Amino acid sequence: MSPLEKMDDFFAVRVDGYDEHMMSNVERASDFYAYTASLLPKAAGSKVLDLGCGTGLELEEYFGLNPDAKVTGIDLSEAMLNALKAKFPEKDLTLVQASYFDVPLGENVYDAAVSVESLHHFKDEMKESLYRKLRTALKTGGTFVLTDCFAESDELEKEYFETLAKLKKEQGLSEDEFYHFDTPLTVEHEMDVLRRAGFRDVRIDKRWSEKTCTVLATV
């Protein structure tokens, strides 16, 4: 297998063809980006947090529905954020280049949060910590809209993490860095993590394929 790439490096070298790749190669991507955006608040001035915003494929759809939304986007990749900024020079965008695990999100700030095809790289304990922080950052009644790929079974979930650990050991890689290798939880485990983090209403809103779902979690 090829050497693992650091997460930000992986996306930096692929930014130019990223949008086309996602829309052409990910099953039903054009449908789920549009649908995810449709679940976000439509009121002018709504504050939305986008975790792993990348080039903003979901935001292309969202700004069409709510051109006056105020969006904060967090992403590791400077190249991806630069591409996003170039798309929407006139929009109310606050972009943060960092790990969303490290960025303070505040308290009672956002009307909604969204993440699309970003969170399938991390362990449940990391996600629980992030989701607790996210729950605190959302206003009462606020919703987290998560569209992502998920492991098809407990056995596959375990295999993904074991394979990543083996590759890191073989390649002498740090445990403190993020590398691009998919380690999705099952959707059931993902929802369990959200519930442990304090979200009160967690459900699958729509299934797009065998692997991809949209999950809603409400504060």
Side-chain angles (χ1 to χ4, degrees):
M1 182 174 284
S2 301
L4 295 175
E5 297 175 72
K6 288 184 180 179
M7 196 79 75
D8 50 346
D9 293 342
F10 177 91
F11 289 107
V13 300
R14 293 166 175 82
V15 65
D16 289 341
Y18 179 78
D19 289 9
E20 181 180 355
H21 167 78
M22 292 299 292
M23 290 303 190
S24 300
N25 295 287
V26 177
E27 186 178 359
R28 300 199 66 187
S30 61
D31 294 327
F32 68 62
Y33 276 109
Y35 182 79
T36 299
S38 77
L39 299 175
L40 297 174
K42 309 301 189 302
S46 294
K47 293 184 178 180
V48 174
L49 175 65
D50 193 330
L51 300 176
C53 56
T55 62
L57 286 167
E58 59 274 19
L59 297 181
E60 291 182 32
E61 303 289 343
Y62 183 48
F63 282 131
L65 299 170
N66 187 352
D68 298 317
K70 301 176 185 295
V71 176
T72 297
I74 305 174
D75 202 279
L76 274 175
S77 171
E78 181 181 11
M80 301 285 268
L81 291 177
N82 286 339
L84 172 54
K85 192 184 304 182
K87 284 183 182 178
F88 306 112
E90 306 301 324
K91 296 303 181 185
D92 193 336
L93 268 176
T94 301
L95 301 180
V96 181
Q97 183 195 352
S99 164
Y100 37 60
F101 294 103
D102 298 333
V103 177
L105 300 181
E107 186 173 342
N108 197 34
V109 177
Y110 299 102
D111 299 294
V114 62
S115 186
V116 184
E117 295 290 336
S118 177
L119 280 157
H120 56 272
H121 298 104
F122 309 108
K123 295 179 179 178
D124 58 352
E125 58 264 32
M126 293 185 68
K127 290 185 180 184
E128 183 173 346
S129 176
L130 173 64
Y131 291 160
R132 287 183 183 280
K133 186 168 65 170
L134 177 60
R135 176 182 55 79
T136 300
L138 286 168
K139 298 176 183 178
T140 301
T143 298
F144 176 41
V145 185
L146 172 64
T147 298
D148 214 333
C149 63
F150 298 96
E152 296 160 270
S153 67
D154 292 358
E155 292 76 20
L156 277 173
E157 178 187 303
K158 181 180 178 183
E159 181 181 322
Y160 295 142
F161 283 101
E162 288 178 347
T163 301
L164 176 59
K166 180 182 177 182
L167 290 172
K168 281 185 173 182
K169 184 175 181 180
E170 290 174 351
Q171 296 175 23
L173 300 177
S174 169
E175 288 297 322
D176 298 324
E177 297 277 0
F178 295 135
Y179 296 92
H180 188 270
F181 187 88
D182 291 355
T183 51
L185 305 180
T186 65
V187 69
E188 292 80 12
H189 289 165
E190 192 82 34
M191 292 192 296
D192 285 345
V193 175
L194 285 160
R195 292 186 184 104
R196 293 201 304 269
F199 284 89
R200 62 178 175 81
D201 181 20
V202 181
R203 61 185 173 86
I204 297 173
D205 183 73
K206 196 170 183 71
R207 289 187 181 270
W208 299 100
S209 67
E210 208 169 358
K211 296 182 178 180
T212 305
C213 297
T214 294
V215 173
L216 298 183
T218 304
V219 175

